[in-house]
PDB file of all heavy atoms in Angstrom:
ATOM      1  N   MET D 789       9.790  21.319  10.131  1.00 95.00           N
ATOM      2  CA  MET D 789       8.737  20.354   9.882  1.00 95.00           C
ATOM      3  C   MET D 789       9.379  19.033   9.490  1.00 95.00           C
ATOM      4  O   MET D 789      10.308  18.993   8.702  1.00 95.00           O
ATOM      5  CB  MET D 789       7.832  20.865   8.750  1.00 95.00           C
ATOM      6  CG  MET D 789       6.880  19.833   8.216  1.00 95.00           C
ATOM      7  SD  MET D 789       5.884  20.375   6.820  1.00 95.00           S
ATOM      8  CE  MET D 789       7.080  20.381   5.506  1.00 95.00           C
ATOM      9  N   LYS D 790       8.853  17.992  10.057  1.00 97.00           N
ATOM     10  CA  LYS D 790       9.285  16.653   9.687  1.00 97.00           C
ATOM     11  C   LYS D 790       8.138  16.009   8.919  1.00 97.00           C
ATOM     12  O   LYS D 790       6.981  16.113   9.313  1.00 97.00           O
ATOM     13  CB  LYS D 790       9.628  15.843  10.926  1.00 97.00           C
ATOM     14  CG  LYS D 790      10.028  14.418  10.617  1.00 97.00           C
ATOM     15  CD  LYS D 790      10.580  13.649  11.803  1.00 97.00           C
ATOM     16  CE  LYS D 790       9.736  13.709  13.022  1.00 97.00           C
ATOM     17  NZ  LYS D 790      10.186  12.849  14.120  1.00 97.00           N
ATOM     18  N   ILE D 791       8.478  15.340   7.824  1.00 98.00           N
ATOM     19  CA  ILE D 791       7.501  14.579   7.049  1.00 98.00           C
ATOM     20  C   ILE D 791       7.846  13.116   7.227  1.00 98.00           C
ATOM     21  O   ILE D 791       8.974  12.703   6.949  1.00 98.00           O
ATOM     22  CB  ILE D 791       7.538  14.955   5.557  1.00 98.00           C
ATOM     23  CG1 ILE D 791       7.288  16.449   5.362  1.00 98.00           C
ATOM     24  CG2 ILE D 791       6.516  14.131   4.773  1.00 98.00           C
ATOM     25  CD1 ILE D 791       7.520  16.930   3.938  1.00 98.00           C
ATOM     26  N   ALA D 812      15.297  12.008  -0.456  1.00 98.00           N
ATOM     27  CA  ALA D 812      15.086  12.400   0.938  1.00 98.00           C
ATOM     28  C   ALA D 812      16.309  13.134   1.469  1.00 98.00           C
ATOM     29  O   ALA D 812      16.190  14.111   2.219  1.00 98.00           O
ATOM     30  CB  ALA D 812      14.770  11.175   1.792  1.00 98.00           C
ATOM     31  N   LEU D 815      16.590  16.961   0.789  1.00 97.00           N
ATOM     32  CA  LEU D 815      15.739  17.906   1.512  1.00 97.00           C
ATOM     33  C   LEU D 815      16.481  18.453   2.727  1.00 97.00           C
ATOM     34  O   LEU D 815      17.213  17.723   3.396  1.00 97.00           O
ATOM     35  CB  LEU D 815      14.440  17.228   1.950  1.00 97.00           C
ATOM     36  CG  LEU D 815      13.440  16.987   0.823  1.00 97.00           C
ATOM     37  CD1 LEU D 815      12.390  15.969   1.238  1.00 97.00           C
ATOM     38  CD2 LEU D 815      12.782  18.297   0.411  1.00 97.00           C
ATOM     39  N   PRO D 816      16.286  19.731   3.033  1.00 96.00           N
ATOM     40  CA  PRO D 816      16.987  20.331   4.175  1.00 96.00           C
ATOM     41  C   PRO D 816      16.378  19.878   5.503  1.00 96.00           C
ATOM     42  O   PRO D 816      15.278  19.333   5.553  1.00 96.00           O
ATOM     43  CB  PRO D 816      16.775  21.833   3.955  1.00 96.00           C
ATOM     44  CG  PRO D 816      15.477  21.911   3.228  1.00 96.00           C
ATOM     45  CD  PRO D 816      15.437  20.699   2.337  1.00 96.00           C
ATOM     46  N   ALA D 817      17.099  20.149   6.565  1.00 93.00           N
ATOM     47  CA  ALA D 817      16.668  19.742   7.911  1.00 93.00           C
ATOM     48  C   ALA D 817      15.302  20.308   8.271  1.00 93.00           C
ATOM     49  O   ALA D 817      14.529  19.654   8.969  1.00 93.00           O
ATOM     50  CB  ALA D 817      17.710  20.181   8.938  1.00 93.00           C
ATOM     51  N   GLU D 818      14.981  21.489   7.803  1.00 91.00           N
ATOM     52  CA  GLU D 818      13.688  22.089   8.159  1.00 91.00           C
ATOM     53  C   GLU D 818      12.517  21.450   7.404  1.00 91.00           C
ATOM     54  O   GLU D 818      11.357  21.789   7.638  1.00 91.00           O
ATOM     55  CB  GLU D 818      13.688  23.608   7.947  1.00 91.00           C
ATOM     56  CG  GLU D 818      13.777  24.058   6.503  1.00 91.00           C
ATOM     57  CD  GLU D 818      15.203  24.311   6.038  1.00 91.00           C
ATOM     58  OE1 GLU D 818      16.165  23.935   6.728  1.00 91.00           O
ATOM     59  OE2 GLU D 818      15.332  24.895   4.951  1.00 91.00           O
ATOM     60  N   CYS D 819      12.823  20.528   6.524  1.00 94.00           N
ATOM     61  CA  CYS D 819      11.790  19.829   5.763  1.00 94.00           C
ATOM     62  C   CYS D 819      12.209  18.359   5.611  1.00 94.00           C
ATOM     63  O   CYS D 819      12.150  17.786   4.533  1.00 94.00           O
ATOM     64  CB  CYS D 819      11.646  20.510   4.406  1.00 94.00           C
ATOM     65  SG  CYS D 819      10.165  20.071   3.533  1.00 94.00           S
ATOM     66  N   ARG D 820      12.613  17.763   6.692  1.00 97.00           N
ATOM     67  CA  ARG D 820      13.183  16.410   6.706  1.00 97.00           C
ATOM     68  C   ARG D 820      12.131  15.360   6.343  1.00 97.00           C
ATOM     69  O   ARG D 820      10.996  15.409   6.814  1.00 97.00           O
ATOM     70  CB  ARG D 820      13.747  16.162   8.104  1.00 97.00           C
ATOM     71  CG  ARG D 820      14.454  14.867   8.295  1.00 97.00           C
ATOM     72  CD  ARG D 820      15.170  14.819   9.646  1.00 97.00           C
ATOM     73  NE  ARG D 820      14.235  14.613  10.750  1.00 97.00           N
ATOM     74  CZ  ARG D 820      14.044  15.452  11.752  1.00 97.00           C
ATOM     75  NH1 ARG D 820      14.719  16.588  11.810  1.00 97.00           N
ATOM     76  NH2 ARG D 820      13.203  15.192  12.714  1.00 97.00           N
ATOM     77  N   LEU D 821      12.528  14.385   5.526  1.00 98.00           N
ATOM     78  CA  LEU D 821      11.659  13.283   5.124  1.00 98.00           C
ATOM     79  C   LEU D 821      12.209  11.984   5.701  1.00 98.00           C
ATOM     80  O   LEU D 821      13.370  11.645   5.473  1.00 98.00           O
ATOM     81  CB  LEU D 821      11.583  13.185   3.598  1.00 98.00           C
ATOM     82  CG  LEU D 821      10.783  12.021   3.017  1.00 98.00           C
ATOM     83  CD1 LEU D 821       9.314  12.085   3.448  1.00 98.00           C
ATOM     84  CD2 LEU D 821      10.891  12.015   1.495  1.00 98.00           C
ATOM     85  N   GLU D 822      11.364  11.290   6.463  1.00 97.00           N
ATOM     86  CA  GLU D 822      11.758  10.018   7.071  1.00 97.00           C
ATOM     87  C   GLU D 822      10.808   8.929   6.611  1.00 97.00           C
ATOM     88  O   GLU D 822       9.623   9.180   6.394  1.00 97.00           O
ATOM     89  CB  GLU D 822      11.688  10.119   8.598  1.00 97.00           C
ATOM     90  CG  GLU D 822      12.639  11.122   9.187  1.00 97.00           C
ATOM     91  CD  GLU D 822      12.486  11.259  10.705  1.00 97.00           C
ATOM     92  OE1 GLU D 822      11.569  10.627  11.278  1.00 97.00           O
ATOM     93  OE2 GLU D 822      13.275  12.000  11.298  1.00 97.00           O
ATOM     94  N   MET D 877       3.132  22.295   0.549  1.00 96.00           N
ATOM     95  CA  MET D 877       4.286  22.222   1.455  1.00 96.00           C
ATOM     96  C   MET D 877       4.487  23.529   2.205  1.00 96.00           C
ATOM     97  O   MET D 877       4.789  23.531   3.398  1.00 96.00           O
ATOM     98  CB  MET D 877       5.550  21.858   0.684  1.00 96.00           C
ATOM     99  CG  MET D 877       5.625  20.407   0.295  1.00 96.00           C
ATOM    100  SD  MET D 877       7.187  19.997  -0.503  1.00 96.00           S
ATOM    101  CE  MET D 877       8.295  19.991   0.915  1.00 96.00           C
ATOM    102  N   TRP D 880       1.950  23.609   4.859  1.00 96.00           N
ATOM    103  CA  TRP D 880       2.303  22.686   5.936  1.00 96.00           C
ATOM    104  C   TRP D 880       3.389  23.292   6.819  1.00 96.00           C
ATOM    105  O   TRP D 880       3.333  23.183   8.044  1.00 96.00           O
ATOM    106  CB  TRP D 880       2.796  21.351   5.390  1.00 96.00           C
ATOM    107  CG  TRP D 880       1.829  20.602   4.532  1.00 96.00           C
ATOM    108  CD1 TRP D 880       0.470  20.756   4.464  1.00 96.00           C
ATOM    109  CD2 TRP D 880       2.147  19.569   3.596  1.00 96.00           C
ATOM    110  NE1 TRP D 880      -0.060  19.876   3.549  1.00 96.00           N
ATOM    111  CE2 TRP D 880       0.935  19.145   3.000  1.00 96.00           C
ATOM    112  CE3 TRP D 880       3.346  18.964   3.201  1.00 96.00           C
ATOM    113  CZ2 TRP D 880       0.890  18.139   2.040  1.00 96.00           C
ATOM    114  CZ3 TRP D 880       3.294  17.978   2.248  1.00 96.00           C
ATOM    115  CH2 TRP D 880       2.075  17.558   1.673  1.00 96.00           C
ATOM    116  N   MET D 881       4.373  23.934   6.222  1.00 95.00           N
ATOM    117  CA  MET D 881       5.464  24.520   7.005  1.00 95.00           C
ATOM    118  C   MET D 881       4.950  25.668   7.867  1.00 95.00           C
ATOM    119  O   MET D 881       5.330  25.786   9.032  1.00 95.00           O
ATOM    120  CB  MET D 881       6.599  24.964   6.087  1.00 95.00           C
ATOM    121  CG  MET D 881       7.367  23.793   5.515  1.00 95.00           C
ATOM    122  SD  MET D 881       8.901  24.213   4.652  1.00 95.00           S
ATOM    123  CE  MET D 881       8.306  25.039   3.219  1.00 95.00           C
ATOM    124  N   LEU D 929       8.352  15.616  -3.445  1.00 98.00           N
ATOM    125  CA  LEU D 929       8.543  16.545  -2.331  1.00 98.00           C
ATOM    126  C   LEU D 929       9.811  17.370  -2.515  1.00 98.00           C
ATOM    127  O   LEU D 929       9.822  18.579  -2.256  1.00 98.00           O
ATOM    128  CB  LEU D 929       8.579  15.789  -1.001  1.00 98.00           C
ATOM    129  CG  LEU D 929       7.258  15.155  -0.567  1.00 98.00           C
ATOM    130  CD1 LEU D 929       7.473  14.246   0.632  1.00 98.00           C
ATOM    131  CD2 LEU D 929       6.202  16.210  -0.274  1.00 98.00           C
ATOM    132  N   HIS D 933       9.889  21.386  -3.038  1.00 97.00           N
ATOM    133  CA  HIS D 933      10.690  22.231  -2.149  1.00 97.00           C
ATOM    134  C   HIS D 933      11.624  23.137  -2.948  1.00 97.00           C
ATOM    135  O   HIS D 933      11.848  24.295  -2.574  1.00 97.00           O
ATOM    136  CB  HIS D 933      11.488  21.387  -1.160  1.00 97.00           C
ATOM    137  CG  HIS D 933      12.232  22.224  -0.184  1.00 97.00           C
ATOM    138  ND1 HIS D 933      13.545  22.576  -0.352  1.00 97.00           N
ATOM    139  CD2 HIS D 933      11.828  22.816   0.965  1.00 97.00           C
ATOM    140  CE1 HIS D 933      13.919  23.342   0.651  1.00 97.00           C
ATOM    141  NE2 HIS D 933      12.902  23.494   1.462  1.00 97.00           N
ATOM    142  N   LEU D 936      10.034  26.302  -3.789  1.00 95.00           N
ATOM    143  CA  LEU D 936       9.941  27.233  -2.656  1.00 95.00           C
ATOM    144  C   LEU D 936      11.219  28.034  -2.450  1.00 95.00           C
ATOM    145  O   LEU D 936      11.171  29.170  -1.984  1.00 95.00           O
ATOM    146  CB  LEU D 936       9.594  26.474  -1.370  1.00 95.00           C
ATOM    147  CG  LEU D 936       8.216  25.839  -1.311  1.00 95.00           C
ATOM    148  CD1 LEU D 936       8.056  25.042  -0.017  1.00 95.00           C
ATOM    149  CD2 LEU D 936       7.128  26.893  -1.430  1.00 95.00           C
TER     150      LEU D 936
END
Side-chain angles (χ1 to χ4, degrees):
M789 168 184 74
K790 177 171 50 173
I791 302 171
L815 286 163
E818 68 267 12
C819 195
R820 184 171 75 241
L821 176 61
E822 297 177 355
M877 284 184 75
W880 300 341
M881 288 190 291
L929 292 170
H933 184 264
L936 293 176

